[in-house]
Amino acid sequence: MFNLRKLALLGLLPLALAGCRQDMHDQPRFKPLAQSDFYADLRSARTPVEGTVARGQLHEDTYFYSGKIGSSAGDFMPFPVTEDVLARGRERFNIYCAPCHSRVGDGNGFIPSRGFPRKPPSYHSERLRRAPLGYFFDVITNGFGIMPDYASQIPPRDRWCIIAYIRALQLSQGATMADVPSGQKVPSEAPQFEEPGSGATLPVVAPKSANPQPEEPK
Amino acid sequence: MQIFHRSTNTISRATIYGAVFVVAALFWAAANIQRSPYVTYAGVARPQPVPFSHQHHVAGLGIDCRYCHTSVETSSFAGIPPTKTCMNCHSQIWTNAALLEPVRESYRSGKSLVWTRVNDLPDFVYFNHSIHINKGVGCNTCHGPVDRMPLMYNYASLQMEWCLDCHRAPDKYLRPRDQVFNMRYEPPASDKPVRLDGKDYTDQLALGADLIQKYKVRNPMDITTCSTCHR
């Protein structure tokens, strides 16, 4: 009888330990954006006091952060445009702008067709082809008309990469055969895509059916 | 006088030795319950203040994960979009839908939307998104078919054995970095090769081995030590 009771107690032990388990799971510290019962607005992430300048956020290089010289938009890139910059620009453009402006920038993205009162304009209009680079920076940073601003979603360097890519898109739409570097072939047909792509990535180009495999040297 | 027939001896013997099996069965049951959705909540959709559908926004509208989860490539935390991100579109689209009233209310008043956390590791575990993304672990390897989730649920158990299964042999799961956000990525197969640096792969382990070289993934010994995740 006595033994049985001991056994039963032993059986309860895991339950007690299970209790401890939960304490260790939820410790008195916050994961990012977790709810806090201490502050009235329930936010554990506090907004800094107005006027605070965090380390590394003193924006002395104002052109880089505003796209403006004085009060007019500048028309140069604050850093050299390399292939990496354009590749980054393409990726970011397809994430943040293409849903509305489409991948080629003609303004026929999918989202506006679901209920925006007007479509975004095409980047290939005479007006926007002439617009200085700094103007695009201003539109991304502060929004324009019914277009929301993207300041909190896209850091400044990425905004510049996107702008470089938009300029490349604009040039590509107005290109002539004379712009093709000598020795480079222009593909006569558009690439075949395997599937439309999930929105997360560029569509996969279907491998050519007769895929010449390089022979192993014997 | 004998109440029980002789044959019951076998039964009593069976129950004595059988106890071993009963105990084993209990352990087995406990181990399985521990891994079941009752404990891990895997596959259980949680109620949310707004019935936000990844299926609709990701597969239907083609929005990239990073449009909303902006910090996933650079920080430990993937980031939950602020109300402003919803309003980028919903200030124009479905502006009268009752479904979206909590979003508009939150935007007007500046009060946060309170989403229910779905994937929740215990606080004594350290996890970091950015390293996984940059070394070629796809979102859907861990989060499942997000583009087919009308309501978010967690796909994996998030138990230690699950993390370790991959940390012991990451080559089973890695994919090229530009495919990390692709919810429809399929691992290489002989009829569907995956292309990397101009080479076609038809075998996951061959691809995985080359990706480990390319992305300089440390060896399993280093990423299975306790202090990787318990620090």
Side-chain angles (χ1 to χ4, degrees), chain B residues 23-37 39-40 159 161:
Chain B
V23 170
L26 278 178
F27 270 107
W28 179 83
N32 273 291
I33 290 172
Q34 188 63 21
R35 289 177 178 79
S36 74
V39 173
T40 65
Q159 283 176 335
E161 64 176 5

Side-chain angles (χ1 to χ4, degrees), chain A residues 25 29 31 43 149-150 200, chain B residues 67 84 110 112 121 123 181:
Chain A
H25 278 207
R29 66 180 168 82
K31 286 187 175 179
R43 289 182 189 161
D149 75 85
Y150 280 84
Chain B
Y67 187 96
K84 153 82 171 55
S112 308
L121 286 175
D123 288 358
F181 299 91

Side-chain angles (χ1 to χ4, degrees), chain A residues 21 24-27 29 31-33 35 43 91-92 95-96 99 110-111 114-117 146 148-150 152-153 195-201 204 211 213, chain B residues 34 58 60-64 66-67 70 73 77 80 84-85 88-89 92-93 110-112 114 117 120-124 178-179 181-184 192 195 200:
Chain A
R21 194 187 137 105
M24 297 295 285
H25 278 207
D26 301 320
Q27 294 167 7
R29 66 180 168 82
K31 286 187 175 179
L33 300 186
Q35 185 167 333
R43 289 182 189 161
E91 186 187 60
R92 297 294 124 170
I95 298 169
Y96 296 108
F110 186 60
I111 303 293
R114 307 301 307 175
F116 271 54
I146 57 168
D149 75 85
Y150 280 84
S152 63
Q153 275 157 284
E195 49 175 39
S198 67
T201 47
V204 180
N211 211 343
Q213 286 285 326
Chain B
Q34 188 63 21
V58 174
L61 304 172
I63 309 174
D64 192 288
R66 289 164 286 184
Y67 187 96
T70 47
E73 293 164 294
F77 182 60
I80 293 293
K84 153 82 171 55
T85 304
N88 281 353
C89 298
Q92 309 295 335
I93 296 172
K111 279 216 194 85
S112 308
V114 184
R117 218 176 206 295
D120 197 1
L121 286 175
D123 288 358
F124 53 76
D178 60 358
Q179 296 297 324
F181 299 91
N182 184 355
M183 291 296 117
R184 292 202 219 135
K192 275 201 145 197
R195 177 162 277 226
D200 280 335

Side-chain angles (χ1 to χ4, degrees), chain A residues 58-79:
Chain A
L58 181 60
H59 297 168
E60 278 177 318
D61 185 356
T62 46
Y63 183 66
F64 182 76
Y65 291 102
S66 70
K68 285 192 180 124
I69 296 169
S71 62
S72 57
D75 199 14
F76 61 93
M77 286 287 288
F79 50 84

